[in-house]
Amino acid sequence: VLFDFAGVLTTGRGWFTLAEKLSAQFGLEKKQISDILYENEAMLMRGRKSTHDFWEENFKKLEIPLDVFKEEFSHWYELNSEVLEIAGELKKKFRIVIFSDNFDAVTSTIRADPALKIFDEMFFSNEMHKTKQEEGTFEEVLGKLKLKPKECVFIDDKEKNLEPAKALGMETVLFDGVKSISKISTR
């Protein structure tokens, strides 16, 4: 069972949560921060830029100190305890995996988070240098897991991220709350 991270394993809303935190701390407009984050995420998500480079190009001029940015950036999320509980139950029958489009500062925090040690494997776009939307990404993950598409379920909160998995023959679940994944454990 492959879980997306943001929006599935977390209760926060990614960039929106980070923008809210930085806006409150530095008196900046939330929209201004969100716009910068969304405009520039692609290179960061693919691991083609470091968090430092991302900050240097986009946030230094806003007078947000690097250490504060890195801390907020890497800890923006709050884990969804209900989903983690279900993941723990699924682990009794299945391998459980995190497969996420993410960023270097966040992936290192995720890998170090004791609550996430239950996952057997973790795959991140910034380490793979391609996102879920790019050709061959799901095949690469399945190859490393030594699994066929029909042996997997992929859970994501974005329909567009489910499409490549469906096209391969994976079962997919559009996450819209705990109920959407509670049936997986009855297989």
Side-chain angles (χ1 to χ4, degrees), residues 5-79:
F5 184 71
V8 177
L9 292 172
T10 69
T11 58
R13 294 176 36 222
W15 288 143
F16 294 110
T17 303
L18 179 59
E20 284 173 356
K21 286 181 169 187
L22 293 174
S23 172
Q25 281 185 52
F26 296 97
L28 300 166
E29 284 187 43
K30 187 169 52 175
K31 182 178 178 352
Q32 178 187 16
I33 296 169
S34 289
D35 288 350
I36 291 169
L37 291 166
Y38 280 110
E39 279 174 25
N40 297 285
E41 73 179 347
M43 295 298 278
L44 187 62
M45 194 179 304
R46 289 182 181 93
R48 303 236 161 74
K49 283 190 183 177
S50 70
T51 301
H52 180 271
D53 293 339
F54 185 65
W55 169 82
E56 183 84 30
E57 293 171 14
N58 301 290
F59 289 95
K60 184 177 184 178
K61 63 185 171 238
L62 297 179
E63 297 183 12
I64 297 173
L66 176 61
D67 59 335
V68 173
F69 178 76
K70 278 187 170 182
E71 179 65 21
E72 294 298 343
F73 184 65
S74 62
H75 292 91
W76 66 263
Y77 65 88
E78 183 177 321
L79 293 174

Side-chain angles (χ1 to χ4, degrees), residues 20-160:
E20 284 173 356
K21 286 181 169 187
L22 293 174
S23 172
Q25 281 185 52
F26 296 97
L28 300 166
E29 284 187 43
K30 187 169 52 175
K31 182 178 178 352
Q32 178 187 16
I33 296 169
S34 289
D35 288 350
I36 291 169
L37 291 166
Y38 280 110
E39 279 174 25
N40 297 285
E41 73 179 347
M43 295 298 278
L44 187 62
M45 194 179 304
R46 289 182 181 93
R48 303 236 161 74
K49 283 190 183 177
S50 70
T51 301
H52 180 271
D53 293 339
F54 185 65
W55 169 82
E56 183 84 30
E57 293 171 14
N58 301 290
F59 289 95
K60 184 177 184 178
K61 63 185 171 238
L62 297 179
E63 297 183 12
I64 297 173
L66 176 61
D67 59 335
V68 173
F69 178 76
K70 278 187 170 182
E71 179 65 21
E72 294 298 343
F73 184 65
S74 62
H75 292 91
W76 66 263
Y77 65 88
E78 183 177 321
L79 293 174
N80 186 326
S81 59
E82 291 179 287
V83 175
L84 284 175
E85 190 175 314
I86 291 171
E89 288 299 312
L90 288 170
K91 186 174 175 74
K92 294 175 183 175
K93 292 181 177 181
F94 309 104
R95 286 168 60 193
I96 58 172
V97 173
I98 293 175
F99 179 30
S100 174
D101 287 343
N102 229 306
F103 317 96
D104 63 345
V106 182
T107 58
S108 60
T109 303
I110 293 168
R111 287 188 185 284
D113 193 320
L116 299 172
K117 297 290 183 192
I118 65 168
F119 288 90
D120 298 302
E121 300 269 353
M122 296 183 187
F123 297 94
F124 298 106
S125 62
N126 64 294
E127 296 169 354
M128 297 173 68
H129 303 290
K130 54 187 166 187
T131 66
K132 294 175 204 165
Q133 293 292 304
E134 294 178 66
E135 191 172 322
T137 307
F138 278 89
E139 292 90 340
E140 183 177 331
V141 169
L142 293 176
K144 289 179 179 179
L145 293 172
K146 296 180 176 37
L147 292 171
K148 295 177 183 155
K150 67 182 180 185
E151 298 173 307
C152 299
V153 176
F154 177 56
I155 305 162
D156 201 301
D157 62 320
K158 294 180 181 90
E159 185 71 45
K160 70 178 185 173

